[in-house]
Amino acid sequence: MDEKISVIVPVYNSIDCLEKCVRSVCAQTYPLLEILLIDDGSTDGTEKLCERLAVQDSRIRTYHKKNGGASSARNMGIRLATGEYLGFVDSDDYIEPDMYELMMAAMKKGQSAVVQISRDEVDEKGQRQPDVCVPPEEECFCRSEDFLKELLLHRGDCSFCTKLVKREVFDRHEFPEGVLNEDFSLLVELLQEIDGITILPKQCYHVVCRAASTTRSRTRDSFSRVFLDIVDNADKMQELVDEKYPSLHVCAVRFNLYQRLDYLLHVPLSQMTGSNTFYRQVKGYLRRHVGDTVRNPYLTGKNKVYLILLTIAPWTVRRVHGWTMKVRSGRT
C-alpha cells in the first residue's frame, strides 16, 4: 500500500512564482500526496492565490498565520501534516514530476530515515548555474559522520527541500525559529541520531536564484544576520566535533575559519570598528589561529591568502576587495 507524503510549502509574498511551484508539486507521479500551503502573513495577494489553488486540486490544504518566518511556517505544517513522510519545497523553487516517486522508492529499501535527491541552481529564466552541490554518479548511502564532514567542507547539501524524511523523526525535533541557516542546525541534530542519508544522483529539485529581487533594496550598510549566525554555528560545530567526532577536528577548524572569512567579506565597512564586539571577536579568532590557517589542508591557497590579509589589515583589504569587485562587474 502506498504511504502518504505531506509536502509542506511555506509561503510569503510569492505572487510571481507560487503557481509554478505548486503546479510542479501537483504534477508528481507518486500517487498519494497532500500539499500544505502555509501562508506566513502574505500581503501581496499570495494569500488569495493559495485559496484559488486549493480549489483547483483537492490535495491542497491552505492555512494562514501571522508572519513568523519560514521555520515557523514549516513547524506549523509539520503539526498539521497527516502523512507518514514529510517533504519541503520553497515557494520560489520547482521540482521534477518523478522526484517523490524516486525518493520513496529509495526510502522503501529501509536503509535510512532520510533520503536526499540532488539539486541544481537556475536563474529566473531557467538557465543552469554552476552546481553548488555536486551530485553523486549513482545512488549511495552516506554515513552520518561522512555527511557531517561534507557539510564542514561546504560540499554537502543541508537543505531540507531536497530531503524526504520519516514523520516520526520530527516527533523529537522542529526547525529553530528566530535564526537563519536553520536547515543546517536541524540537520546536524538529526545526523547525531540516524545512521546516515541515502543520496540520489538525479537533479530533480530546482533552486531558483533571484538575485535581482534581493539587491533592489540593498544599501551600502545592508547586512544579513545570516553572517552572524554562520559564525555562531561554526563555534557550535567545533564543540560538537571535539566532543563526538574528534577525527573531524581539522575539518571543523577549517569550517570555523571559512565562516569567519565569509563574515569579513560581507560585513559593511561602517561596522568594522572597535565598538563592534562581534567584529572584534572574529578578528581575535583569526589572530589566534594563524597557524591553523597556514597548515589546514582543506583551505585553498586563495582562502589562506585572504584569511592572512584580513587578519593583518581587514579594513584595507575590504576596501581593495570592494574596488576589485566593482571593476570585475564593469561598474565605475
Side-chain angles (χ1 to χ4, degrees):
M1 181 181 295
D2 291 319
E3 295 176 279
K4 187 190 296 183
I5 298 175
S6 297
V7 182
I8 299 168
V9 184
V11 177
Y12 178 71
N13 287 358
S14 307
I15 192 71
D16 60 334
C17 55
L18 178 62
E19 187 162 3
K20 179 176 182 178
C21 169
V22 174
R23 297 291 183 210
S24 74
V25 180
C26 290
Q28 291 300 294
T29 56
Y30 186 77
L32 192 53
L33 292 179
E34 69 171 359
I35 304 163
L36 284 72
L37 305 183
I38 312 297
D39 169 41
D40 192 39
S42 294
T43 58
D44 68 342
T46 300
E47 64 280 12
K48 297 177 182 178
L49 175 59
C50 289
E51 297 293 344
R52 291 199 298 272
L53 292 171
V55 170
Q56 296 169 16
D57 194 312
S58 61
R59 296 172 298 175
I60 299 175
R61 294 156 54 197
T62 294
Y63 300 90
H64 304 279
K65 62 183 289 296
K66 182 179 179 181
N67 181 255
S71 288
S72 174
R74 282 176 168 181
N75 289 335
M76 181 177 179
I78 292 169
R79 292 191 294 270
L80 294 167
T82 62
E84 292 86 355
Y85 299 89
L86 301 183
F88 303 88
V89 178
D90 283 345
S91 61
D92 49 358
D93 300 333
Y94 61 98
I95 60 180
E96 290 297 311
D98 59 349
M99 188 176 93
Y100 284 116
E101 182 177 0
L102 291 172
M103 296 172 83
M104 183 60 86
M107 182 70 78
K108 289 299 185 180
K109 296 176 182 178
Q111 201 166 16
S112 174
V114 181
V115 172
Q116 174 180 295
I117 200 79
S118 293
R119 74 187 219 201
D120 62 16
E121 280 74 28
V122 299
D123 64 19
E124 292 177 275
K125 296 180 180 179
Q127 298 297 312
R128 281 284 303 273
Q129 304 297 298
D131 286 330
V132 173
C133 301
V134 178
E137 294 184 0
E138 58 186 19
E139 179 178 330
C140 63
F141 178 77
C142 187
R143 295 186 311 114
S144 288
E145 186 168 342
D146 293 332
F147 199 98
L148 187 61
K149 180 178 180 179
E150 293 301 296
L151 292 179
L152 292 172
L153 297 179
H154 290 93
R155 298 190 305 222
D157 183 3
C158 67
S159 172
F160 273 84
C161 290
T162 55
K163 312 286 192 292
L164 182 65
V165 186
K166 287 185 177 180
R167 173 66 177 81
E168 62 196 42
V169 169
F170 287 98
D171 291 342
R172 304 178 300 277
H173 299 278
E174 64 177 12
F175 289 94
E177 299 181 21
V179 299
L180 300 177
N181 211 24
E182 61 275 12
D183 285 32
F184 180 90
S185 299
L186 178 56
L187 184 58
V188 170
E189 285 184 19
L190 298 188
L191 286 172
Q192 298 173 63
E193 297 184 5
I194 63 177
D195 294 330
I197 295 177
T198 298
I199 305 175
L200 306 182
K202 188 174 180 181
Q203 292 173 295
C204 287
Y205 191 96
H206 304 295
V207 178
V208 180
C209 304
R210 300 178 181 275
S213 63
T214 59
T215 56
R216 277 195 292 266
S217 60
R218 288 186 61 183
T219 67
R220 179 178 296 179
D221 293 324
S222 294
F223 187 49
S224 171
R225 197 185 73 246
V226 70
F227 295 107
L228 307 180
D229 289 344
I230 63 173
V231 173
D232 289 338
N233 279 340
D235 289 335
K236 293 174 183 175
M237 287 303 301
Q238 189 72 63
E239 293 178 10
L240 172 66
V241 164
D242 290 344
E243 178 184 353
K244 296 186 176 182
Y245 309 98
S247 65
L248 299 180
H249 173 80
V250 176
C251 297
V253 172
R254 180 262 179 204
F255 188 71
N256 255 289
L257 291 167
Y258 192 96
Q259 300 294 74
R260 284 167 167 81
L261 172 61
D262 207 11
Y263 166 86
L264 285 175
L265 289 176
H266 288 88
V267 62
L269 291 173
S270 61
Q271 296 185 30
M272 298 175 72
T273 66
S275 61
N276 186 335
T277 303
F278 197 94
Y279 169 68
R280 291 203 319 270
Q281 290 173 345
V282 169
K283 286 199 307 178
Y285 182 96
L286 294 186
R287 289 170 180 170
R288 294 191 302 273
H289 290 83
V290 171
D292 289 320
T293 297
V294 173
R295 294 188 297 268
N296 196 286
Y298 298 110
L299 288 169
T300 67
K302 184 178 180 180
N303 293 158
K304 293 179 180 182
V305 169
Y306 262 109
L307 282 164
I308 294 298
L309 291 175
L310 285 165
T311 301
I312 297 171
W315 197 88
T316 302
V317 172
R318 274 296 309 283
R319 286 295 299 272
V320 174
H321 176 74
W323 295 332
T324 301
M325 296 305 292
K326 285 184 180 181
V327 170
R328 288 179 178 176
S329 64
R331 288 179 289 161
T332 58

